[in-house]
Amino acid sequence: MGTFMKIYIKVFKGRVMKKYSIVFMLFLLVYSVVGKAASLGLGDRVSIYSKVLSTDREFQVLLPENYYANTTSTYPVIYLIDGDYNFHGVSGMLDLLANKGQLIPDVILVGIADKGTSQYHEYMTPSVFDLKAKPSKGKAADFMRFITEEVKPYIESNYRSAESSTLVGHSMGGLFVLNMLLEKPSAFNNYVAISPSVWVADQGIVAKAKEKLSKVQHSPVSLFLSLADETRMGQYDFINTLDLTQPNNINWQFKHYPDENHNSVGIIALRDSLKTLYKPWYIAENKLATFKTPASIVEHYQNIMTEFGFSQPMPSASVQELFRRHYRNKNVASLPNFIAETIKELPASKQALITMQAKYVAHFDSPKASLPLLTAVEKEFSQSIDYLKALASTYEKLEDKAMAHKYYQKAFVVAEKQKANQWQFNIINAKLVVTK
């Protein structure tokens, strides 16, 4: 905060008094700011009583940054095994990949906590691998029921989750993912098994795959397999089984990372899997030029969201291309009708379309002309930090500092309420200073 205070401490030694001056930052303020910053991006800790496991269980839920800004959006869900160990790395990667990079749609991240190494391994290990195997102490069947009968229904009831869901596991968690795929293939749409411990129980999961893959019928799912610089995980035997069986309802792929180790491969493999899964979502600039009309871009996103079963705003680069085409082709007069029709087709993109329209009108016409576009939807997007900043910025361009300050202040309040990332506060605070 830049605030300093001096505390004078008087120390008496016999009749001699010494005065010490200690200069330091206001502790409580610094503690408050650091504590606040440290809590950002962690999501909410949820605790439920599991009837399946007969104990309390916890999981961490991280919502997309713009979750509260657009109530018409729905989000694919990623269920992360060994959530406490992997949560920080995965959440940071998703912030760059989805929120900032927009290479994939925004997602809800659910990190499923464990209760220590021994119990974790027990719940990851199947009790019986195939009909000939002897029962083990593994309780994977119970944990599968916990996730499918308790965790998933909780998420679906309390958050705007979409139909698309992905189960992710690494090492022993990867073994659990493969077992879920074989036992309950319709439980998730996508399965990501990173360096799975196929070696467990003399590759028992391979025997189960040989038994199950050719018999079980289910809706199409995707499987992403990966391996680091490891030679004893047993994964190639599982891959050979997939090759020999050729299940027509599992779209699978494998990627080897020879320059990564068992611990480092997780984030990279998951990032690549998600980029592959949602590859059509982000259209690179040179590819946007291949779309013949703005309407064809809109149709592209309609098809994607129908296929994956979610509703979200189009990426900002694609939204901008819609306006660039109209202005470049001197077809600005048709923009209002085009925007109205696009909002009907993709209602979650309304805010993005309106704010982009205001941006172009401010540039090519005047900030004064763009203001009514924003104020007309204030009630609808009053919980959007980006919208409030856009409105405040417009007043700033009109040299109305009082109104600019008012809306930057509103943006600050919403940011606090939504536990926004620290960089949002930095931007808003700077604007509050210059508009004061």
Side-chain angles (χ1 to χ4, degrees), residues 173-227:
L175 173 64
F176 179 84
V177 168
L178 294 180
N179 191 47
M180 178 75 83
L181 171 64
L182 297 174
E183 292 288 350
K184 296 178 180 290
S186 298
F188 296 88
N189 304 96
N190 314 293
Y191 296 82
V192 181
I194 304 165
S195 285
S197 299
V198 176
W199 57 267
V200 171
D202 295 326
Q203 300 184 336
I205 197 70
V206 176
K208 176 179 277 193
K210 291 177 180 178
E211 176 194 335
K212 296 274 189 181
L213 285 176
S214 59
K215 298 178 181 179
V216 179
Q217 298 299 315
H218 55 84
S219 56
V221 297
S222 297
L223 169 64
F224 298 88
L225 291 161
S226 56
L227 183 69

Side-chain angles (χ1 to χ4, degrees), residues 33-43 62 88 91 415-416 418-425:
V33 172
V34 172
K36 182 179 181 179
S39 69
L40 298 178
L42 296 180
L62 181 62
H88 284 276
S91 63
E416 280 195 315
Q418 297 177 5
K419 299 178 182 178
N421 287 327
Q422 186 60 42
W423 63 268
Q424 286 277 26
F425 289 99

Side-chain angles (χ1 to χ4, degrees), residues 20 27 56 88 118 124 133 135 140 147 232 249 262 267 276-277 365 392 400 407 428:
Y20 294 87
F27 177 76
D56 292 326
H88 284 276
S118 296
M124 293 299 102
I147 293 176
R232 289 174 287 184
N249 47 10
H262 186 68
I267 297 296
T276 301
L277 176 63
D365 191 346
D400 189 339
Y407 282 98
I428 297 169

